[in-house]
Amino acid sequence: MSDPHGHDHSHADDDWPYPHPKQPDLEDGELTEHMVMAEAVEQLLIDKGIFSADEMRRMLEQIDAKSPAEGARMVARAWLDPDFKARLLEDVNAAAKELNIDAGPIPILAIENTHALHNAIVCTLCSCYPKFLIGLPPDWYKSRNYRSRMISEPRAVLAEFGTMIADDVEVRVHDSTADLRYMILPMRPQGAEGLDEEALAALVTRDSMIGVTVIDKV
Amino acid sequence: MSRPITIGDTVRIRQAFPPGHVRTPYFIRGKTGEVIRLLSDYANPEELAYGRDGKPALPVYWVKFQQSDLWSDYAGQEQDTAVVEVMENWLETMDE
């Protein structure tokens, strides 16, 4: 084949006129044993009537429909209402129901950040995350880099997020290893007095509920 | 267990390396920490992973470790901690 653009990979399928490779299709990646197994198990569960393809799709839609906004509403309410905050710290799933939020079937604990204690979440073993409440985790949360370094050098990782924690504050990393999921209740920023619940919720980010950021002054 | 575990107890995580699905991270095995919260009982993941029923369910605890006890080269502050959920079958109580 002629080489119109100075490199030698072949264009067997069509004439690709650009000097960069095509973005690979999903199917071009390696099909690993575990991917085959996951597909086979899913198909078996459907074939055996454990759940239907429709139920599977609806579950995925339900997770995809979740967003940090739901957690943010809960944080904002907790900032404004000490009684709600107490209930949130007791049982996130029950407190969510008060706001007509479905936090899903897995128990979630809220952990409060204070001037003396900064909490953050990691799952060193896999990628446990409160996805039924605030949606799917960011890719970095699942990376080996975050999972290994957040537990062993949290201040360095926090600094990479632009989060500098004072030397006299305790940094506490929670490893989500078992049956619970966590959300951080960030500190209410200074200057937020007088804001209503909606305006406060708009300040609350996904990363602040993971604990890798703090919410700056308004 | 020689006695029930309560908040404030010092516990050591079993230094064991069984094969199979284990939810106790390597970095706490053999390390000593403090129980700071009692959680509910949960089905044993080491059984669930093989299609069994996970019974009896096991109590789960929050165990707090000083970071400097986990990592000899920890570069943060002395007061920094890590909290890990640990199932009761991994805890050894310490003689006072």
Side-chain angles (χ1 to χ4, degrees):
Chain A
M1 169 175 184
S2 68
D3 182 6
H5 47 254
H7 57 183
D8 60 3
H9 65 98
S10 96
H11 298 151
D13 51 345
D14 59 4
D15 197 12
W16 181 249
Y18 306 106
H20 56 79
K22 269 181 163 174
Q23 177 175 318
D25 289 316
L26 283 177
E27 294 80 358
D28 291 341
E30 188 192 356
L31 190 60
T32 66
E33 185 184 330
H34 291 103
M35 290 160 71
V36 174
M37 201 189 302
E39 283 195 27
V41 168
E42 179 188 338
Q43 196 56 52
L44 271 172
L45 290 167
I46 291 169
D47 289 348
K48 284 174 174 285
I50 309 292
F51 55 74
S52 67
D54 187 51
E55 285 169 326
M56 177 81 180
R57 194 208 73 251
R58 266 191 282 135
M59 173 60 80
L60 293 174
E61 280 177 351
Q62 195 186 341
I63 294 171
D64 282 347
K66 294 292 179 177
S67 83
E70 314 226 20
R73 272 175 62 206
M74 300 184 70
V75 170
R77 174 68 63 91
W79 283 344
L80 290 173
D81 179 347
D83 293 335
F84 179 81
K85 178 174 142 184
R87 295 194 294 277
L88 176 73
L89 292 171
E90 183 72 24
D91 183 340
V92 170
N93 305 65
K97 286 199 185 99
E98 294 181 35
L99 303 187
N100 292 319
I101 295 170
D102 177 6
I106 302 177
I108 302 171
L109 290 180
I111 303 168
E112 184 182 15
N113 279 347
T114 68
H115 290 289
L117 176 64
H118 180 87
N119 296 278
I121 309 166
V122 65
C123 173
T124 61
L125 295 173
C126 46
S127 56
C128 298
Y129 186 81
K131 61 174 178 270
F132 288 103
L133 178 62
I134 62 174
L136 292 172
D139 284 346
W140 54 256
Y141 185 86
K142 299 181 280 186
S143 70
R144 190 172 62 226
N145 184 314
Y146 181 78
R147 285 164 37 231
S148 59
R149 293 179 59 236
M150 191 60 193
I151 191 69
S152 60
E153 46 175 332
R155 285 178 187 263
V157 175
L158 290 171
E160 289 166 17
F161 281 94
T163 304
M164 311 306 292
I165 303 297
D167 286 353
D168 60 348
V169 172
E170 176 184 336
V171 170
R172 179 177 292 180
V173 180
H174 292 260
D175 191 357
S176 182
T177 56
D179 291 86
L180 295 158
R181 302 293 177 266
Y182 297 105
M183 68 175 283
I184 302 300
L185 174 56
M187 273 195 292
R188 176 175 167 162
Q190 291 177 350
E193 297 77 14
L195 295 183
D196 66 12
E197 191 171 310
E198 194 179 344
L200 286 171
L203 301 174
V204 181
T205 62
R206 175 195 70 193
D207 289 0
S208 70
M209 291 183 282
I210 302 173
V212 293
T213 60
V214 295
I215 300 172
D216 291 328
K217 289 177 191 171
V218 180
Chain B
M1 286 298 143
S2 56
R3 63 185 168 95
I5 294 168
T6 54
I7 289 176
D9 282 358
T10 299
V11 290
R12 184 172 177 272
I13 312 304
R14 277 200 292 131
Q15 188 153 24
F17 301 92
H21 181 83
V22 173
R23 305 287 309 172
T24 305
Y26 274 67
F27 65 85
I28 60 170
R29 298 189 201 177
K31 304 291 185 180
T32 298
E34 177 191 356
V35 172
I36 62 168
R37 186 168 178 167
L38 314 178
L39 302 163
S40 301
D41 294 2
Y42 290 98
N44 183 351
E46 294 164 30
E47 296 289 314
L48 280 182
Y50 299 97
R52 298 191 280 260
D53 63 8
K55 291 176 184 165
L58 297 172
V60 177
Y61 301 87
W62 267 12
V63 182
K64 182 180 79 169
F65 302 89
Q66 294 303 126
Q67 285 280 28
S68 52
D69 287 342
L70 297 179
W71 320 101
S72 57
D73 58 348
Y74 186 68
Q77 296 296 318
E78 192 189 343
Q79 72 274 16
D80 292 352
T81 55
V83 171
V84 183
E85 300 158 10
V86 188
M87 308 207 87
E88 189 170 61
N89 62 332
W90 279 87
L91 299 182
E92 297 171 341
T93 50
M94 315 282 280
D95 291 327
E96 299 292 330

